[in-house]
């Protein structure tokens, strides 16, 4: 399968209209990019959180008949899963042209899911929320601090991730943090949010709407854009999974570890073939641990891997080349999917020369997804 | 209640629960024994009757034909990881800030989330022995929390 069109609206702190409207416009832009019409769309895949109805979007878009649709759960764990499900539906003959999209209004402080916890909490939430372990920064902080303790990972390593993302965002006029440079001194002296994590370890909070179009490779070759092939896809919950406070896996492995195993098992490409990586970065330590889990270095070596500009443009493995969730926009990682497409097309603002294969990952910690895209 | 049993509960006559406190559903059919145990000042876990393996989070009573049983854990463990939470935070917990949220590895194996009482954040460390103590939130909701172990370390 191939990704043939991408579209996004300008990111904002307050986009000023509901996602049932912004999603439609982003999809329309993606269709224009692909050279397709709304009438060509017969499938739709979207995220579950802050759900909108597929039929509302389909009607407003002008879709003739939606024949297949799907909502994917686990927030940032869903990003690559939408593409995976779309590809599976097309392979099964259930649809020919699937829209995958994410529209989200979360820029306002009151829009943060954790700030809305009150009353009686149930199921997996009852395992952590009653103790006040409710902000994602604390949930991930427990992983991050353990990593620092076990492997000697330092705040400077997390800082390298924040700075790489910010440098790339400063090349990307669409990024929320464009024109706002970040240096190590500023990074280190920022206010603490959940020790050991500080302000610049945390992603942005953004309103955004993005879409991409998936169809068969055969059809993709007749369309306007250079096709971006979906080479390998995976989802994984890992063993004994808990939503969010997922600390009882063997050796406390993250979901990304299990997802990586599925992904590489389905891929002819190897780590050495990956030209840049869009590793889900709600918090900087997720990138350090993601480099390990996806096999770019051994467990515990993710910190040193970030040194010497290695993860910046021009380095061995540039990460988050659009600025990522840390510095472009936080839209549950769907911007990472679009950036991977731009890298393969050769149109990124932080273009990796001769980029042939890109890894994209979803949120680790929650049940997640990942994919590799490559050139035709 | 004996003095020893009483010592399992935090002595907080003035404790006032915030109206927006996110309370657990203590009637959940899977979790109910855990919360019943907490009301009595006991930390309960599940183990497999066949091989003694300890399960966390809890599973339903009918799991694999009912091979799991609840038992009282030692209530002792060590700090596996921790963070010190600062603002912005949920209003219901704001009076506890800076709050030391912990992941405790129990003697029995499972890792439980919780928070520390009776210790300053700067005195918390990895591997620190801790013991369970119970905070009464309502008549029906009692929360196991953690303090530095007294006496013999785990």
């Amino acid at each position: 399968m191939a990704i043939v069109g991408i579209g996004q609206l300008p990111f904002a702190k307050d986009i000023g209209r509901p996602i049932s409207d912004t999603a439609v416009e982003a999809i329309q832009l993606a269709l224009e990019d692909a050279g397709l019409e709304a009438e060509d769309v017969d499938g739709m895949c979207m995220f579950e959180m802050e759900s909108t109805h597929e039929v509302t979007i389909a009607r407003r878009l002008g879709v003739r008949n939606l024949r297949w649709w799907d909502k994917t759960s686990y927030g940032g764990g869903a990003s690559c899963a939408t593409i995976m499900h779309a590809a599976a539906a097309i392979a099964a003959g259930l649809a020919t042209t699937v829209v995958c999209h994410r529209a989200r209004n979360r820029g306002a402080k009151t829009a943060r899911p954790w700030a809305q916890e009150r009353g009686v909490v149930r199921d997996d939430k009852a395992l952590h929320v009653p103790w006040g372990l409710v902000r994602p920064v604390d949930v991930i902080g427990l992983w991050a601090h353990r990593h620092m303790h076990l492997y000697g990972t330092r705040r400077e390593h997390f800082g390298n991730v924040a700075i790489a993302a910010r440098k790339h965002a400063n090349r990307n006029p669409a990024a929320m943090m464009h024109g706002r440079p970040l240096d190590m001194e500023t990074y280190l002296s920022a206010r603490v949010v959940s020790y050991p994590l500080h302000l610049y370890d945390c992603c942005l909070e953004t309103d955004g709407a993005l879409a991409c179009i998936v169809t068969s490779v055969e059809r993709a070759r007749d369309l306007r854009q250079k096709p971006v092939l979906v080479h390998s896809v995976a989802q994984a919950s890992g063993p004994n999974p808990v939503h969010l406070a997922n600390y009882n896996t063997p050796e406390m492995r993250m979901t990304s570890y299990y997802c990586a195993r599925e992904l590489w098992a389905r891929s002819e490409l190897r780590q050495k073939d990956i030209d840049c990586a869009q590793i889900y970065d709600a918090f900087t330590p997720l990138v350090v641990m993601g480099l390990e889990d996806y096999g770019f270095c051994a467990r515990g070596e993710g910190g040193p891997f970030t040194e010497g500009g290695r993860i910046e443009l021009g380095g061995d493995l540039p990460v988050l080349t659009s600025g990522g969730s840390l510095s472009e926009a936080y839209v549950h990682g769907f911007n990472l999917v679009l950036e991977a497409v731009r890298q393969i097309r050769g149109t990124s603002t932080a273009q990796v020369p001769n980029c042939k294969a890109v890894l994209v990952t979803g949120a680790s910690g929650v049940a997640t997804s990942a994919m590799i895209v490559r050139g035709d | 209640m004996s003095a020893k049993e009483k010592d399992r509960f935090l002595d907080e006559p003035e404790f006032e629960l915030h109206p927006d406190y996110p309370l657990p559903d203590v009637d959940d059919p899977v979790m109910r024994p855990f919360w019943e145990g907490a009301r009595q000042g006991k930390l309960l876990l599940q183990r497999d009757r066949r091989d003694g393996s300890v399960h966390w989070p809890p599973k339903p009573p009918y799991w694999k034909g009912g091979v799991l049983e609840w038992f009282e854990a030692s209530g002792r463990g060590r700090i596996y990881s921790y963070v010190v939470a600062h603002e912005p935070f949920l209003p219901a917990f704001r009076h506890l800030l800076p709050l030391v949220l912990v992941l405790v590895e129990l003697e029995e194996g499972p890792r439980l989330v919780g928070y520390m009482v009776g210790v300053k954040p700067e005195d918390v460390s990895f591997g620190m022995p801790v013991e369970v103590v119970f905070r009464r939130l309502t008549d029906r909701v009692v929360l196991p929390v953690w303090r530095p172990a007294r006496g013999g370390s785990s």
Side-chain angles (χ1 to χ4, degrees), chain A residues 114-123 126-135 137-138 141-143 145-146 149 191-196 240 242 245 247-252, chain B residues 20-25 28 31 34-35 56-59 79-90 93 99 101-103 109-115 126 137 143-145:
Chain A
W114 68 261
Q116 294 161 40
E117 293 295 357
R118 58 179 61 83
V120 176
V121 292
R122 298 172 199 285
D123 301 336
L127 296 166
H128 58 102
V129 174
W131 287 269
L133 185 70
V134 52
R135 302 180 305 175
V137 68
D138 301 309
L142 286 169
W143 294 92
H145 205 187
R146 178 80 188 162
H149 171 70
R191 72 179 165 83
V192 62
V193 181
S194 179
Y195 175 85
N240 198 22
V242 175
Y247 305 116
N248 279 279
T249 57
E251 298 175 58
M252 207 164 98
Chain B
D20 282 343
Y21 195 100
L23 292 166
D25 172 18
D28 178 86
M31 288 294 287
F34 177 81
W35 296 115
W56 184 265
K59 294 184 171 78
I79 292 185
Y80 194 79
S81 192
Y82 68 98
V83 294
V84 186
H86 294 258
E87 290 279 15
F89 213 79
L90 280 189
F93 298 88
L99 176 64
L101 292 161
V102 285
L103 187 58
R111 293 182 280 263
L112 265 60
V113 305
Y115 63 76
F126 284 90
L137 299 180
L143 200 65
V145 296

Side-chain angles (χ1 to χ4, degrees), chain A residues 1-6 27 30-31 34 36-46 54 61 63 66-72 81-101 211-216 219 223 334:
Chain A
M1 301 307 144
I3 301 174
V4 293
I6 54 173
I27 294 166
L31 288 169
L36 289 166
E37 305 291 333
E39 287 78 5
D40 297 317
V41 173
D42 59 359
M44 188 175 292
C45 194
M46 58 201 281
E54 295 90 347
L61 198 64
V63 172
L66 214 49
R67 299 194 297 159
W68 176 89
W69 59 88
D70 180 39
K71 279 198 174 88
T72 308
T82 60
I83 308 294
M84 171 172 165
H85 295 191
I90 295 164
L94 303 175
T96 63
T97 310
V98 179
V99 168
C100 299
H101 65 94
C212 60
I213 316 293
V214 181
T215 191
S216 67
R219 186 133 171 271
L223 294 175
F334 211 69

Side-chain angles (χ1 to χ4, degrees), chain A residues 142-224:
Chain A
L142 286 169
W143 294 92
H145 205 187
R146 178 80 188 162
H147 198 274
M148 294 172 88
H149 171 70
L150 275 187
Y151 305 118
T153 311
R154 300 194 315 273
R155 281 198 62 211
E156 285 82 353
H157 294 136
F158 300 150
N160 290 337
V161 174
I163 289 166
R166 188 60 64 90
K167 278 187 181 170
H168 300 153
N170 274 298
R171 302 171 64 104
N172 175 9
M176 293 293 284
M177 290 294 127
H178 185 252
R180 308 258 302 266
L182 177 68
D183 58 27
M184 189 58 84
E185 198 189 332
T186 310
Y187 167 84
L188 289 172
S189 59
R191 72 179 165 83
V192 62
V193 181
S194 179
Y195 175 85
L197 299 186
H198 293 60
L199 182 66
Y200 296 112
D201 291 309
C202 306
C203 67
L204 308 172
E205 295 285 10
T206 322
D207 291 359
L210 311 91
C212 60
I213 316 293
V214 181
T215 191
S216 67
V217 175
E218 199 177 32
R219 186 133 171 271
R221 289 188 178 128
D222 296 332
L223 294 175
R224 184 178 288 165

